[in-house]
């Protein structure tokens, strides 16, 4: 398909100037090769090595309210009113060995009630600071952690605090995550979720191989719970069920992966999402060197073939497969933030907030403990932010493009709306390279027009994603020795220390 360029357009927001280390260019072939060499960290998780690549853009705490407010400005003030919301619950029965996310220690479970109280106050504080009333919300995800560990009434308290301030638009939804064990054991809680207006539920199966479940510290969520869990979800009235599966573990055989796929398909969910193991900040990061692309690619190919045969559709590189025609399979929150680059406000300990110019992380998320967050919510006039970055356009483009690969494509019209230029304007050498090498191609027309992965590109997605990253991140990958994995070893030590 020939390229039909969209016109550039003016936008109301501006970006800071890039630091010197983001004012460079590299040969796309070098970046592509570096991404494949570093395939364990070159993925949709952006940025890489943020202590270096984002250090010049970090905002001092006394300036948090001013900069965060500017990033979340209303449309009347040159910003926007359309956005998504994310609510984070940092509690789990146990911490899985593969987990990279913000989960607190078991000792802090006694603070669940205090945490919910703080979240209700946080909703009010964001409303007081940046104005939530009248905002048009296109999706809300309740994630974790395991949000279903909270009593149902506590989930409803947070949702009520949000609902009385914002307007959910047509086509929006609310999605929540659970585990097989909880869904199987507490059918009343699952029924309560549906009654309070939650539309979509996602359950993590991950794998069914018993010895691998043990390694992953996930034996309590084994296959014996799955059928009862799905029965309770269906009885509650949910007709949008997603199952999460994971691959790319050391000692995970192709045969065991096939068994997991067959089992998940047999449970009859509307959607199945595939996650390749990302080792950074996990307790098993030392296993990364034992998993090669030659082992991962057959797993990817098998999953695609089996899911397509079973009636689940996804374009190359997309992580969520849907059995419903015309339904992309993800929550509305994920669809709008990924496909459209829509800003979102995150609330809770492990939350991230993404605007057109800034990214921030909640207080306590790095140390994975509640004390900093609870302290900030007791103080007056403080936003519960640990890190806030005011980023140049090249870094915001990198973030937007990286997460777009959850869908295996970068949509052109939302990119122009967000950045005021086309993909070919922003990345001329990259677009030429990915098309000439058969890694990506133009698909769709009008608002659906996208630069999409081919099957060849999907097999080398870890090389393609960094092509759209900011120069400092590309340089880091080019210079990094994947065989001397200091980052993964450091992240493993952090994860072990946090997990106790």
């Amino acid at each position: 398909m020939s390229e039909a360029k969209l016109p550039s357009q003016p936008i109301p927001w501006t970006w800071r100037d890039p630091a010197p280390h983001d004012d460079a260019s590299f040969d796309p072939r070098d970046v592509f090769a570096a991404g494949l060499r570093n395939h364990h960290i070159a993925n949709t998780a952006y940025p890489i090595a943020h202590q270096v690549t984002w250090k010049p853009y970090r905002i001092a705490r006394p300036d948090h309210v001013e900069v965060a407010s500017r990033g979340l400005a209303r449309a009347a003030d040159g910003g926007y009113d359309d956005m998504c919301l994310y609510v984070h619950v940092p509690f789990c029965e146990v911490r899985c060995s593969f987990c990279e996310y913000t989960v607190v220690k078991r000792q802090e479970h006694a603070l669940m009630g205090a945490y919910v109280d703080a979240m209700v106050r946080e909703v009010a504080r964001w409303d007081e600071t940046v104005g939530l009333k009248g905002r048009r919300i296109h999706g809300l995800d309740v994630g974790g952690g395991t949000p279903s560990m909270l009593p149902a009434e506590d989930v409803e308290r947070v949702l009520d605090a949000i609902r009385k301030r914002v307007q959910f638009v047509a086509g929006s939804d609310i999605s929540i995550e659970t585990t097989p064990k909880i869904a199987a054991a507490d059918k009343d809680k699952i029924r309560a979720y549906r009654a309070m207006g939650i539309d979509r539920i996602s359950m993590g199966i991950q794998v069914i191989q018993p010895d691998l479940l043990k390694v992953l510290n996930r034996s309590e969520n084994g296959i014996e719970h799955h059928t009862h869990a799905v029965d309770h979800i269906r009885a509650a009235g949910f007709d949008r069920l997603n199952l999460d599966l994971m691959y790319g573990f050391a000692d995970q055989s192709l045969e065991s992966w096939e068994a997991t796929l067959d089992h998940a398909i047999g449970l009859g969910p509307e959607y199945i999402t595939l996650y390749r193991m990302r080792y950074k900040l996990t307790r098993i990061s030392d296993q990364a060197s034992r998993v090669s692309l030659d082992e991962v690619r057959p797993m990817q190919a098998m999953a695609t073939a089996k899911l397509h045969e079973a009636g689940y559709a996804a374009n190359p590189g997309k992580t969520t497969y849907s059995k419903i025609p015309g339904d992309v399979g993800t929550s509305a929150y994920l669809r709008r933030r990924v496909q459209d680059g829509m800003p979102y406000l995150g609330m809770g300990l492990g939350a991230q907030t993404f605007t057109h110019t800034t990214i921030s992380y909640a207080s306590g998320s790095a140390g994975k403990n509640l004390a900093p967050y609870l302290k900030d919510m007791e103080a007056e006039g403080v936003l519960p932010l640990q890190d806030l970055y005011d980023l140049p356009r090249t870094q915001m483009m990198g973030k937007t493009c990286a997460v777009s690969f959850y869908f295996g494509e970068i949509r052109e019209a939302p990119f122009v709306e967000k950045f005021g230029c086309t993909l070919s304007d922003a990345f001329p050498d990259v677009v030429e390279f990915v098309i000439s090498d058969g890694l990506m191609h133009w698909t769709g027309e009008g608002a659906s027009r996208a630069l999409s992965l081919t099957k060849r590109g999907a097999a080398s997605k870890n090389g393609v994603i960094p092509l759209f990253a900011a120069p400092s991140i590309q340089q880091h990958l080019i210079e990094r020795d994947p065989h001397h994995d200091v980052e993964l070893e450091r992240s493993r030590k952090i994860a072990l220390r946090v997990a106790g």
Side-chain angles (χ1 to χ4, degrees):
M1 178 182 296
S2 61
E3 181 185 356
K5 277 195 173 184
L6 296 174
S8 298
Q9 63 182 51
I11 50 177
W13 43 84
T14 58
W15 295 272
R16 69 183 299 167
D17 293 332
H21 72 333
D22 270 327
D23 188 17
S25 61
F26 301 95
D27 189 318
R29 287 166 180 78
D30 293 336
V31 177
F32 179 72
L36 292 182
R37 283 197 310 273
N38 295 284
H39 59 93
H40 288 300
I41 65 169
N43 50 45
T44 54
Y46 191 95
I48 300 170
H50 73 277
Q51 297 96 335
V52 176
T53 57
W54 277 15
K55 185 177 180 179
Y57 310 121
R58 191 170 188 268
I59 300 301
R61 190 172 174 88
D63 298 323
H64 277 186
V65 171
E66 177 188 351
V67 176
S69 298
R70 189 166 68 242
L72 287 159
R74 302 296 298 264
D77 299 316
Y80 49 88
D81 291 332
D82 293 275
M83 60 190 298
C84 294
L85 296 175
Y86 179 82
V87 170
H88 181 79
V89 178
F91 306 104
C92 281
E93 292 175 301
V94 296
R95 184 179 184 87
C96 300
S97 300
F98 59 76
C99 181
E100 62 185 283
Y101 299 110
T102 302
V103 175
V104 300
K105 295 179 181 179
R106 187 185 293 266
Q107 299 93 292
E108 295 195 270
H109 288 189
L111 296 173
M112 282 187 188
Y115 180 75
V116 173
D117 291 342
M119 287 200 68
V120 171
R121 289 197 299 274
E122 184 181 359
V123 175
R125 186 159 303 174
W126 281 111
D127 186 24
E128 295 161 2
T129 306
V130 303
L132 295 182
K133 291 183 176 66
R135 297 268 193 175
R136 296 185 294 268
I137 304 304
H138 292 254
L140 165 61
D141 270 16
V142 185
T146 306
S148 54
M149 280 199 67
L150 291 180
E153 55 269 26
D154 280 347
V155 174
E156 190 164 24
R157 282 180 60 205
V158 178
L159 294 184
D160 285 347
I162 292 170
R163 280 184 170 128
K164 73 180 184 181
R165 291 175 169 86
V166 303
Q167 172 190 349
F168 283 86
V169 304
S172 64
D173 62 28
I174 301 175
S175 183
I176 196 168
E177 299 170 4
T178 189
T179 64
K181 182 179 178 182
I182 291 174
D186 197 342
K187 62 182 179 182
D188 291 339
K189 180 179 286 187
I190 303 301
R191 188 180 292 115
Y193 291 156
R194 191 70 191 96
M196 69 180 73
I198 294 177
D199 309 280
R200 180 182 182 275
I201 193 162
S202 185
M203 185 168 73
I205 286 179
Q206 320 310 0
V207 300
I208 64 169
Q209 185 180 352
D211 56 344
L212 186 52
L213 283 169
K214 186 175 181 180
V215 170
L216 301 180
N217 200 27
R218 200 172 170 83
S219 297
E220 292 186 1
N221 280 285
I223 195 169
E224 66 275 10
H225 299 298
H226 297 175
T227 300
H228 290 308
V230 172
D231 287 346
H232 291 164
I233 288 168
R234 296 307 192 193
F238 283 99
D239 56 9
R240 298 178 63 205
L241 167 63
N242 172 73
L243 298 181
D244 289 340
L245 309 180
M246 293 186 71
Y247 66 99
F249 294 107
D251 302 321
Q252 183 182 24
S253 68
L254 197 59
E255 291 76 18
S256 74
W257 175 230
E258 182 176 23
T260 294
L261 289 164
D262 288 338
H263 173 72
I265 291 168
L267 291 171
E270 284 70 36
Y271 323 116
I272 293 178
T273 299
L274 308 180
Y275 290 101
R276 182 190 159 184
M277 175 58 188
R278 302 193 309 202
Y279 282 93
K280 187 177 180 181
L281 292 175
T282 71
R283 300 175 71 180
I284 54 173
S285 59
D286 59 318
Q287 296 181 8
S289 60
R290 294 167 52 198
V291 181
S292 70
L293 278 176
D294 289 339
E295 293 170 297
V296 170
R297 283 169 171 159
M299 291 184 173
Q300 294 172 330
M302 173 186 284
T304 297
K306 291 189 78 69
L307 289 171
H308 282 170
E309 183 181 353
Y312 292 87
N315 52 287
K318 188 169 179 284
T319 55
T320 296
Y321 291 70
S322 174
K323 208 170 187 178
I324 303 176
D327 185 338
V328 297
T330 68
S331 65
Y333 157 84
L334 191 63
R335 179 178 65 82
R336 296 309 300 265
R337 64 165 281 206
V338 169
Q339 285 195 314
D340 301 338
M342 182 171 282
Y344 53 89
L345 171 62
M347 292 176 282
L349 183 65
Q352 177 191 95
T353 294
F354 174 81
T355 76
H356 291 304
T357 57
T358 65
I359 295 177
S360 61
Y361 302 87
S363 299
S365 56
K368 297 178 172 60
N369 62 302
L370 290 177
Y373 175 77
L374 296 178
K375 181 180 179 182
D376 280 352
M377 293 319 306
E378 289 293 338
E380 294 292 332
V382 175
L383 293 175
L385 301 180
Q386 168 188 285
D387 295 298
L388 172 63
Y389 299 93
D390 187 17
L391 295 167
R393 187 167 74 156
T394 182
Q395 287 285 1
M396 293 305 295
M397 285 179 174
K399 174 69 173 180
T400 298
C401 291
V403 297
S404 292
F405 283 97
Y406 277 119
F407 276 61
E409 64 183 18
I410 309 170
R411 291 213 168 184
E412 179 93 307
F415 187 90
V416 172
E417 183 179 355
K418 191 176 186 74
F419 296 109
C421 62
T422 65
L423 285 162
S424 293
D425 291 335
F427 307 102
D429 294 341
V430 169
V431 172
E432 180 181 354
F433 169 67
V434 294
I435 291 177
S436 64
D437 266 40
L439 299 167
M440 302 184 80
H441 61 145
W442 290 106
T443 60
E445 300 287 347
S448 297
R449 175 177 158 78
L451 188 61
S452 304
L453 287 169
T454 61
K455 290 182 180 179
R456 168 181 163 85
S460 298
K461 187 162 75 168
N462 305 86
V464 176
I465 294 173
L467 293 169
F468 299 89
S472 58
I473 291 171
Q474 293 178 340
Q475 182 175 0
H476 175 78
L477 289 173
I478 289 171
E479 295 177 350
R480 183 176 181 273
D481 178 3
H483 301 293
H484 183 58
D485 219 332
V486 175
E487 287 178 23
L488 285 174
E489 181 58 28
R490 177 177 176 273
S491 71
R492 177 174 178 269
K493 290 178 180 177
I494 292 173
L496 287 171
R497 185 169 66 247
V498 168

